[in-house]
Amino acid sequence: MSDDLIEVEVSPVEGQQWFDGEPFPLVHACRTDGAELDAVEEWVRQSRTTLNRQAMDHGAVLFRGLPLSTDQDLDRFIRAFDYPNFPYADSLSNAVRVNRTERVFTANEAPPDVTICLHHEMAQTPVYPSRLFFFCEQPAEQGGATPLCRSDILFERLKEEFPEFVADCETKGLLYTNIMPAENDPTSGMGRSWQSTFRAETRAAAEQRLQNLGYSWEWLPDGCLRSTTPVLQAVMKVEPGRKTFFNQLIAAFHGWKDSRNDPTKAVTFGDGSLLNPATMDTVAKIAEELTFDVPWQKGDVALVDNRVAMHGRRTFTGTRKVLASLVAMDA
Ligand code: FE2
């Protein structure tokens, strides 16, 4: 019954970007006072084909003013989309996370003064989510925005400015090298242990998984594991005539730094050749120009198409609680 549904309106948001006359992100604001979660779920069920298309077209959809305040509310909202779940346990992500529900977990446990650079979720591994949900349970006192960047627009800009670099990305692909600790290291944005990453209790079990995934590896004297991926794509064809800069270059080059990892060694082209640091600086600058910072308000939800838009995290003060949920690729 449409009478029972909530009223939702496309609305502007400060700092919104516009590309080819389309807003980034698209914002849906709920105008119904005292809306019930049941009605929100029904609205999502009836609108999900459209919402899904909008997420892909716009890169991200921001929902404001919905009656969501807990992880359980978020879990119900997400389930209404009927997407396949992407469980953290299955992922090869190197972030340390804590699950709240089967589908919902804390976005990243890294400390507030750590910047998480723009990236496509898990583009440095062979298995990555198709979409992500972010939910603001509690905004930071200061800062803590989630920067979002349209990767298809970035790709077009880079093609103009660095045609050779883009050609190398497309033809050679990328290799990512990462050193994982023997125990979870919550002081790092990439501190997930090799045991947790590969769901392995022993070195032999980890090696089996690495081999199946096509990784090469080396055990270090301190118990850490250095692993290198098979050659992964640096550019994704999302749909005909539309490509994205689908990789972890910006994050790897500017952010993959902790007590174990040196960002200049974290990523090379697929043939082992090195990237030009000056080019990477400019790539990061252009991405920053295209970025929209989600100015989190309590209860906001962002649906991000991971194939189209990159995300990151600004530094913050105070307590910030942003929850996340990942969607597997469509069957
Ligand atoms: Fe992420």
Side-chain angles (χ1 to χ4, degrees):
M1 295 282 287
S2 62
D3 285 355
D4 297 325
L5 290 184
I6 54 170
E7 196 190 325
V8 176
E9 194 172 76
V10 171
S11 305
V13 62
E14 205 186 320
Q16 202 165 26
Q17 297 258 11
W18 290 81
F19 303 114
D20 303 323
E22 295 292 337
F24 173 69
L26 184 69
V27 182
H28 285 301
C30 176
R31 300 295 181 210
T32 305
D33 281 338
E36 302 271 337
L37 190 48
D38 286 349
V40 174
E41 286 178 290
E42 188 51 33
W43 175 75
V44 170
R45 279 193 286 267
Q46 292 191 17
S47 317
R48 63 191 174 203
T49 308
T50 307
L51 294 172
N52 186 48
R53 186 67 236 177
Q54 287 173 337
M56 175 165 261
D57 289 346
H58 293 262
V61 179
L62 179 64
F63 301 91
R64 280 237 143 124
L66 296 175
L68 307 175
S69 52
T70 67
D71 45 22
Q72 299 292 334
D73 296 343
L74 176 66
D75 192 282
R76 283 177 61 185
F77 176 74
I78 290 168
R79 281 174 198 276
F81 283 83
D82 201 29
Y83 285 138
N85 187 31
F86 186 109
Y88 175 59
D90 289 354
S91 81
L92 301 168
S93 159
N94 39 35
V96 177
R97 289 174 178 149
V98 178
N99 263 87
R100 292 281 196 86
T101 76
E102 191 195 338
R103 285 193 169 230
V104 173
F105 51 82
T106 55
N108 194 317
E109 298 287 302
D113 60 343
V114 173
T115 296
I116 299 176
C117 298
L118 288 169
H119 61 282
H120 286 282
E121 193 65 24
M122 297 177 216
Q124 80 283 20
T125 82
V127 254
Y128 44 81
S130 58
R131 307 166 187 86
L132 308 92
F133 288 93
F134 291 112
F135 170 68
C136 179
E137 193 176 43
Q138 186 184 335
E141 213 164 90
Q142 268 195 322
T146 294
L148 298 175
C149 176
R150 274 278 293 267
S151 186
D152 52 346
I153 306 289
L154 175 62
F155 179 78
E156 292 302 323
R157 282 279 302 271
L158 296 179
K159 228 168 51 176
E160 281 168 29
E161 298 210 22
F162 301 108
E164 278 177 36
F165 164 70
V166 168
D168 281 345
C169 284
E170 288 203 79
T171 56
K172 295 180 180 175
L174 296 168
L175 292 169
Y176 299 90
T177 297
N178 174 237
I179 298 175
M180 296 171 207
E183 310 257 319
N184 276 348
D185 171 6
T187 66
S188 164
M190 41 188 299
R192 193 180 185 191
S193 72
W194 59 262
Q195 287 93 333
S196 171
T197 306
F198 295 111
R199 281 188 297 165
E201 281 180 19
T202 62
R203 289 189 175 194
E207 289 183 359
Q208 187 60 55
R209 189 98 200 277
L210 285 155
Q211 195 167 12
N212 293 345
L213 291 161
Y215 281 59
S216 57
W217 68 89
E218 185 188 348
W219 295 102
L220 303 180
D222 58 1
C224 292
L225 171 67
R226 180 196 287 132
S227 70
T228 301
T229 63
V231 176
L232 299 177
Q233 65 183 346
V235 174
M236 182 190 279
K237 189 174 172 186
V238 176
E239 22 184 16
R242 194 177 187 209
K243 289 180 178 176
T244 57
F245 194 61
F246 188 84
N247 57 62
Q248 291 287 43
L249 276 177
I250 295 172
F253 232 78
H254 295 96
W256 281 10
K257 193 176 175 190
D258 63 11
S259 58
R260 291 168 297 279
N261 289 279
D262 171 356
T264 62
K265 295 183 184 152
V267 58
T268 66
F269 284 118
D271 61 2
S273 56
L274 299 176
L275 292 129
N276 179 341
T279 306
M280 287 317 304
D281 280 346
T282 313
V283 170
K285 241 177 245 159
I286 296 172
E288 189 66 29
E289 280 170 31
L290 302 174
T291 290
F292 168 77
D293 276 1
V294 179
W296 288 118
Q297 293 179 6
K298 200 173 160 55
D300 283 351
V301 184
L303 167 58
V304 179
D305 193 307
N306 188 43
R307 296 155 296 193
V308 178
M310 292 190 275
H311 65 276
R313 191 195 71 185
R314 304 287 186 200
T315 59
F316 62 94
T317 58
T319 304
R320 173 191 190 268
K321 289 185 187 162
V322 171
L323 306 181
S325 179
L326 305 179
V327 178
M329 293 301 281
D330 303 309

